[in-house]
Amino acid sequence: MSKKSQAMDSDSTGAALDDAPLAEAVQAALAEASRQGASAAEAAASLGQGLSVNVRMGEVETVEHTRDRGLVVSVYFGQCTGSASTSDYAPAAVREAVLAACSIARYTQEDSCHGLADPERLATDAVDLDLDLYHPWRPSVDEARDLALVCEDKALSADARIDNSEGASVDAHEGCEVYGNTHGFIGYTRKSRQGISCSVIGTENGAMQRDYWYSAARRFGELDSAAEVGEQAAARTLRRLGSRRIPTCQVPVIYEAPVASSLLSHFIGAVSGGALYRKATFLLDHLGKQVFPEFVRIHEQPLLIGAMGSSSFDNEGVATAPRDIVSDGVLRSYVLGSYSARRLEMETTGNAGGVHNLTIDSGEQDLEALIKGIEKGLLVTELIGFGVNTVTGDYSRGVSGLWIENGEIVHPVEEVTVAGNLKDIFSNIVAVANDVDPRRNIRCGSIRVDGLTIAGE
Amino acid sequence: MTDTFKLVTDTLLVPAGLETSDIDRLMGRLLSQDIDYADLYFQYSRQEGWALEDGAVKSGSRSTDQGVGLRAVSGEKTGFAYSDEFVLPALAQAADAARAIAKSGGTTSPVQWRNAKSPPLYTPADPLSSLSDQDKVELLQAVEVQARACDPRVSQVMASLAAVHDVVLVARSDGQMTADVRPLVRLNVTVIVEQNGRREQGSYGGGGRFGYAWLREEDRAGSYAREAVRQALVNLEAVDSPAGTMTVVLGPGWPGILLHEAIGHGLEGDFNRKGTSAFSGRIGEQVASPECTVVDNGTIADRRGSLTVDDEGTPSQNTVLIENGVLKGYMQDTLNARLTGTASTGNGRRESYAHLPMPRMTNTYMLAGSHDPGEITASVDQGLYAVNFSGGQVDITSGKFVFSASEAYRIEKGKIGAPVKGATLIGNGPDVLTRVAMVGNDLELDSGVGTCGKEGQSVPVGVGQPTLRIDGLTVGGVEV
């Protein structure tokens, strides 16, 4: 059951990352834990490497070669646990990490909920599942630089008002990971991630604005072209020029797709095991209750081929499966790992380490149609600050965006906040557009929410 | 050799079998004719964390990370590679990757090493072993007991204890070799209180560059527990925050996060060299009311944001950023100082060997003014009094910043009134300090829990300020 994924790709040159030393380090850690008398143990080893080339104002600024290793081991002595990590796979370092974890376990206190995932939930049949996530691309520094130069040049030459740049980058990254535990499970994953990004500055009447754009995918061939990324970055900066404040008001707000995903992150935070068993969430005891309007469905798609958030097992080796978290607007399931599930006397949902391709289903409308439907309102394009309280749901964040009047964008807006309570925000979602942002683990389109307060002049 | 050098070479080089001649060889490999500057950053870092909830310390972890970052700079170009393997072939490979930035090859004359010594601002002792593991567990349990003893409405107590021991050696192409050993500890307490089905939280913590013993002195751990409970209980009574532009009085200490976001980031040398900051090219201009003097001071003993030397081996400084309202200077690392013809101010910092250094803050604060804090609140007819914050962020190009209050009150006719729910304050960095109407005489530094993020890199920092009255900040509440 420990056969490795064979996915390879025509983009790649050179050998795939060698995960044999990772598997050896994991096995060595588990064996050492047993020798030390641990009743159970789990370990994960990872190796990543990549190249990042950044250009600015037509010249190379930084060339970074990255290569990272890590091993983390958790040991259980009955119901006491300890963990340790190291960046070194040498046998002595692995042993030292296990001893450090064991020493901590001697001082931690018993908790009957600790332990490995239940064996029948492990992804024993899924470890060979090929989700097509590994397409290494290993450009030369010159190749990456040339792409970044095209990208930045496209942005800088878009308009005379674009007069400065924070640069354009091309990133190529690949990594592999091995997870094993003393139930005999061992699972391998390999992933690649390529990206092109660009951030430029424009000036109008002495006031500067900056915006950016990026494309990211597992496969180089699926990236938007460098020129398209540069054009987008310039267009986004240009539409912010001439930003001004607006008076304090209550109007409909559209969160543009790239920032709308933050609302789903807050939702997941509020239905996650840790917040629930600590009673530190405004969605406590909401299972089976209406949280969103009836048209809303939020679900996980962990087995999507080639997607950014795909995985056939979670951080504890538990098999993942497509499932609804919200359907007909009703909260159907929490987001749990084994520990929090036991605390809540429930079953793990395969979410140790987070959600996988969390998706909110879109309606028929595109973003333009959402804008057309608003008489006076704000299209939010950037959020800043951390004013979100998961215990109470209180929400207040800085935003910039575009003011809408009679279904048209009339001018850019800055230095205002939007505030409300997340419970109301969720129930006041009016529409989800079909402009899904595919670059991230949370897949969602632009979202219209009514009833928020905008604080300004 | 100083003791620090011996400790650092014994920790970093000796176990790997590396000698000074190997550093020579690596530097020789990194340098070529058109490399202006190069450095090697050796780091060995140990960390631990212990966490309590439900009255028991249920988890703990320890980690070890080591590696070498190799950087070569040619003009505005930087080549960078790192290795977590302390072996010569891996390091030589990394050096070759980093130097590939240079156009031409050729060799340079060997570097003559000299050890630069600065008087240490903190103890080199390992904080992880400054207390027995049993005592760490008992410290956390005592925090829980003290928090629960404060009030029966406390329903959850979460506490965490963390320590880092960082050993670094910086070898530069100008021959300067610098060693630093940095301890850091932190205790955080979060409580949840419950009353008639309503839940609220409060958090407090503290720490600095010393061993765990400091947390047990003067009942500090207990005082953090009580402060977390006090904040949570205040929030149980909080009503919706007002929305709109109004006069805001900020309390002393941690609200200095305002300075960090509103002006600190905008005065970092990299943004100003590139002209991307709203403060670019404004040295000598009046950017604040004449009562405002703001410094970045990395030289305060034992503070969380302090550094004996920065991550490029430059001794930290007390840098005046704004003096009597006039913009005086930026914070620089070696790269940006060289490109702008100034000197490094000891603000070159990096998260680890695997990250490139850049200009970062240390402890950023405003000096005390002349007003009694009571006089300041009494002077406000209608406004907001904000004393605790959870975090902030800035867009350095447009200058817009936000920071989020976790404890705030209405001011009505000069009196502090009802507590209000967390509101985000938003403003414009280059003009917010021009709206400072009064500066208190009660300068305080924060308790030692701040972490600053920039371009994905986190570093420990400090902030501080006296009580401030600012006329015309936007409060992002819901009550119109």
Side-chain angles (χ1 to χ4, degrees):
Chain A
M1 78 177 197
S2 63
K3 220 165 66 188
K4 298 174 201 175
S5 162
Q6 298 298 315
M8 280 296 296
D9 191 69
S10 56
D11 293 339
S12 67
T13 54
L17 285 176
D18 182 11
D19 55 17
L22 278 65
E24 278 168 32
V26 165
Q27 299 290 15
L30 297 180
E32 183 63 36
S34 298
R35 263 196 299 281
Q36 295 298 325
S39 48
E42 57 192 325
S46 62
L47 170 65
Q49 67 181 31
L51 172 70
S52 175
V53 176
N54 183 63
V55 305
R56 180 176 172 270
M57 301 306 278
E59 298 279 351
V60 170
E61 185 168 57
T62 56
V63 175
E64 288 189 60
H65 300 266
T66 65
R67 189 167 189 278
D68 297 285
R69 299 182 304 171
L71 171 75
V72 54
V73 55
S74 296
V75 299
Y76 301 91
F77 287 80
Q79 285 156 349
C80 295
T81 183
S83 68
S85 65
T86 173
S87 57
D88 188 353
Y89 292 162
V94 171
R95 182 162 187 273
E96 203 178 307
V98 173
L99 293 179
C102 293
S103 134
I104 283 173
R106 271 195 285 281
Y107 295 98
T108 55
Q109 292 157 289
E110 285 195 6
D111 182 340
S112 60
C113 297
H114 276 317
L116 302 179
D118 298 336
E120 65 277 10
R121 299 295 305 276
L122 296 172
T124 309
D125 301 325
V127 289
D128 286 344
L129 210 59
D130 182 3
L131 297 175
D132 198 30
L133 307 176
Y134 186 59
H135 297 277
W137 172 55
R138 301 181 184 118
S140 67
V141 171
D142 288 354
E143 201 181 334
R145 176 202 62 199
D146 291 347
L147 273 169
L149 285 172
V150 166
C151 180
E152 194 200 33
D153 180 63
K154 205 74 187 172
L156 285 172
S157 57
D159 190 291
R161 292 170 294 170
I162 302 285
D163 57 359
N164 201 346
S165 168
E166 288 190 327
S169 318
V170 169
D171 299 276
H173 187 268
E174 59 187 293
C176 56
E177 191 167 323
V178 177
Y179 168 84
N181 65 33
T182 50
H183 284 324
F185 178 85
I186 188 155
Y188 296 79
T189 42
R190 284 172 181 280
K191 290 173 182 173
S192 55
R193 183 189 188 279
Q194 335 300 350
I196 302 179
S197 65
C198 183
S199 173
V200 288
I201 291 166
T203 308
E204 193 175 271
N205 300 326
M208 289 192 290
Q209 294 289 345
R210 166 212 50 83
D211 212 326
Y212 68 97
W213 193 245
Y214 72 96
S215 177
R218 300 252 173 243
R219 204 191 276 260
F220 172 69
E222 286 173 5
L223 289 178
D224 295 338
S225 75
E228 284 170 295
V229 173
E231 279 165 12
Q232 265 298 319
R236 293 180 71 86
T237 294
L238 288 169
R239 70 179 188 176
R240 289 176 73 155
L241 290 172
S243 274
R244 54 186 203 248
R245 303 182 67 200
I246 49 171
T248 300
C249 58
Q250 281 176 328
V251 291
V253 168
I254 302 172
Y255 287 80
E256 198 186 27
V259 293
S261 58
S262 66
L263 295 177
L264 293 186
S265 299
H266 302 325
F267 165 67
I268 292 301
V271 295
S272 288
L276 290 161
Y277 78 73
R278 295 184 184 105
K279 298 188 164 51
T281 164
F282 65 96
L283 290 181
L284 192 67
D285 301 326
H286 274 61
L287 209 54
K289 293 189 181 157
Q290 195 82 35
V291 174
F292 293 89
E294 263 181 38
F295 71 87
V296 171
R297 176 182 179 222
I298 299 172
H299 55 115
E300 268 194 296
Q301 307 187 79
L303 306 179
L304 277 187
I305 298 299
M308 296 308 275
S310 300
S311 187
S312 56
F313 54 89
D314 75 358
N315 287 2
E316 301 176 310
V318 170
T320 58
R323 70 193 185 100
D324 282 0
I325 298 174
V326 170
S327 60
D328 305 321
V330 173
L331 179 62
R332 306 288 179 187
S333 167
Y334 291 144
V335 174
L336 309 174
S338 294
Y339 177 79
S340 58
R342 289 173 192 140
R343 289 292 303 266
L344 296 165
E345 298 179 347
M346 301 178 97
E347 287 274 312
T348 177
T349 57
N351 292 110
V355 290
H356 305 101
N357 296 322
L358 186 78
T359 307
I360 182 166
D361 282 353
S362 295
E364 301 291 313
Q365 291 179 300
D366 58 12
L367 173 59
E368 203 175 329
L370 287 198
I371 293 169
K372 283 266 172 277
I374 287 181
E375 198 188 311
K376 271 188 185 185
L378 183 67
L379 172 63
V380 171
T381 60
E382 189 161 300
L383 290 158
I384 61 171
F386 311 96
V388 181
N389 182 335
T390 303
V391 178
T392 59
D394 290 325
Y395 177 94
S396 172
R397 300 191 69 185
V399 304
S400 41
L402 302 163
W403 184 246
I404 302 165
E405 269 181 32
N406 302 320
E408 303 283 339
I409 286 165
V410 286
H411 67 79
V413 173
E414 65 179 359
E415 203 182 332
V416 298
T417 62
V418 291
N421 188 283
L422 284 169
K423 222 168 154 174
D424 302 327
I425 293 174
F426 294 157
S427 59
N428 289 331
I429 288 180
V430 173
V432 181
N434 58 14
D435 56 336
V436 177
D437 183 352
R439 301 171 298 182
R440 311 170 50 143
N441 183 29
I442 294 182
R443 304 163 76 85
C444 84
S446 298
I447 296 179
R448 171 175 165 176
V449 182
D450 288 1
L452 286 159
T453 301
I454 296 171
E457 288 175 326
Chain B
M1 272 205 174
T2 64
D3 286 341
T4 309
F5 266 99
K6 179 156 170 38
L7 182 64
V8 168
T9 46
D10 284 356
T11 309
L12 282 169
L13 306 182
V14 174
L18 292 172
E19 293 175 10
T20 314
S21 59
D22 296 316
I23 299 182
D24 281 343
R25 223 166 295 160
L26 287 170
M27 185 59 82
R29 213 154 165 147
L30 206 49
L31 283 173
S32 68
Q33 274 155 6
D34 51 343
I35 297 292
D36 301 314
Y37 172 91
D39 60 17
L40 299 159
Y41 183 87
F42 293 81
Q43 183 182 30
Y44 177 80
S45 182
R46 289 173 62 238
Q47 312 200 10
E48 69 171 9
W50 298 82
L52 169 142
E53 63 180 18
D54 306 320
V57 176
K58 294 178 177 178
S59 62
S61 64
R62 219 162 251 157
S63 71
T64 307
D65 197 7
Q66 59 174 27
V68 186
L70 303 95
R71 170 169 67 142
V73 182
S74 171
E76 295 189 37
K77 300 185 179 66
T78 298
F80 179 60
Y82 56 88
S83 171
D84 54 18
E85 292 173 81
F86 266 56
V87 293
L88 214 46
L91 296 175
Q93 201 185 349
D96 291 346
R99 78 171 278 178
I101 194 84
K103 281 195 210 76
S104 63
T107 51
T108 54
S109 50
V111 169
Q112 297 296 315
W113 298 111
R114 61 195 152 76
N115 294 343
K117 304 166 195 172
S118 296
L121 296 173
Y122 28 75
T123 169
D126 173 13
L128 282 71
S129 55
S130 66
L131 207 58
S132 75
D133 289 347
Q134 188 60 44
D135 285 345
K136 293 167 198 168
V137 169
E138 284 171 13
L139 174 64
L140 285 169
Q141 287 170 327
V143 164
E144 145 101 17
V145 168
Q146 294 183 75
R148 287 197 181 273
C150 289
D151 197 285
R153 288 169 288 180
V154 172
S155 63
Q156 274 284 341
V157 180
M158 290 156 273
S160 63
L161 192 62
V164 186
H165 195 225
D166 218 0
V167 178
V168 303
L169 179 72
V170 190
R172 309 188 343 178
S173 52
D174 63 3
Q176 179 183 300
M177 207 182 281
T178 320
D180 197 12
V181 181
R182 302 165 180 165
L184 192 64
V185 301
R186 187 163 102 151
L187 171 65
N188 278 85
V189 188
T190 296
V191 302
I192 293 179
V193 295
E194 203 172 326
Q195 174 177 275
N196 303 330
R198 178 170 173 181
R199 286 185 195 84
E200 293 284 350
Q201 69 181 349
S203 295
Y204 201 72
R209 297 197 180 278
F210 26 63
Y212 284 125
W214 184 84
L215 295 165
R216 301 208 292 184
E217 293 160 6
E218 298 176 19
D219 190 28
R220 286 192 181 96
S223 70
Y224 298 168
R226 290 190 292 277
E227 175 60 16
V229 174
R230 188 195 63 76
Q231 284 184 29
L233 294 177
V234 166
N235 284 328
L236 271 184
E237 310 299 327
V239 297
D240 280 344
S241 170
T245 301
M246 61 195 77
T247 295
V248 176
V249 176
L250 298 174
W254 181 238
I257 191 168
L258 163 85
L259 304 169
H260 179 99
E261 301 300 346
I263 64 153
H265 280 297
L267 299 180
E268 290 167 340
D270 45 354
F271 300 130
N272 288 284
R273 170 175 66 82
K274 297 173 188 174
T276 59
S277 163
F279 284 97
S280 300
R282 299 191 61 184
I283 297 266
E285 287 183 27
Q286 190 85 29
V287 296
S289 85
E291 269 204 275
C292 298
T293 295
V294 181
V295 301
D296 182 81
N297 185 357
T299 70
I300 314 170
D302 298 340
R303 297 290 311 180
R304 180 174 166 85
S306 296
L307 292 170
T308 302
V309 292
D310 72 3
D311 293 320
E312 299 178 315
T314 309
S316 64
Q317 295 179 14
N318 183 2
T319 304
V320 177
L321 304 175
I322 292 173
E323 188 169 32
N324 301 325
V326 176
L327 182 58
K328 285 290 173 185
Y330 301 127
M331 290 166 277
Q332 301 288 6
D333 62 357
T334 56
L335 171 75
N336 290 287
R338 185 170 49 74
L339 293 173
T340 55
T342 55
S344 168
T345 53
N347 289 94
R349 303 186 65 183
R350 63 203 298 175
E351 181 177 303
S352 78
Y353 67 88
H355 300 84
L356 273 170
M358 56 185 156
R360 301 297 296 267
M361 285 173 262
T362 59
N363 305 297
T364 313
Y365 55 92
M366 184 183 290
L367 303 190
S370 57
H371 294 278
D372 180 75
E375 177 198 346
I376 296 178
T377 43
S379 74
V380 179
D381 186 47
Q382 292 281 329
L384 192 78
Y385 178 53
V387 289
N388 273 300
F389 287 87
S390 55
Q393 197 177 348
V394 63
D395 173 338
I396 54 113
T397 302
S398 68
K400 305 298 177 262
F401 67 90
V402 301
F403 58 136
S404 301
S406 55
E407 181 187 356
Y409 305 82
R410 274 183 187 269
I411 307 177
E412 312 222 12
K413 303 218 177 309
K415 296 227 159 44
I416 293 168
V420 297
K421 284 183 184 176
T424 287
L425 307 187
I426 188 162
N428 182 35
D431 80 22
V432 67
L433 292 189
T434 64
R435 298 161 183 264
V436 171
M438 296 168 95
V439 179
N441 55 14
D442 55 341
L443 168 64
E444 272 179 38
L445 300 182
D446 76 281
S447 58
V449 292
T451 297
C452 168
K454 175 178 172 184
E455 290 171 27
Q457 294 193 40
S458 294
V459 296
V461 296
V463 297
Q465 68 174 35
T467 297
L468 291 183
R469 173 179 155 174
I470 303 176
D471 292 346
L473 259 186
T474 300
V475 177
V478 295
E479 264 315 286
V480 180

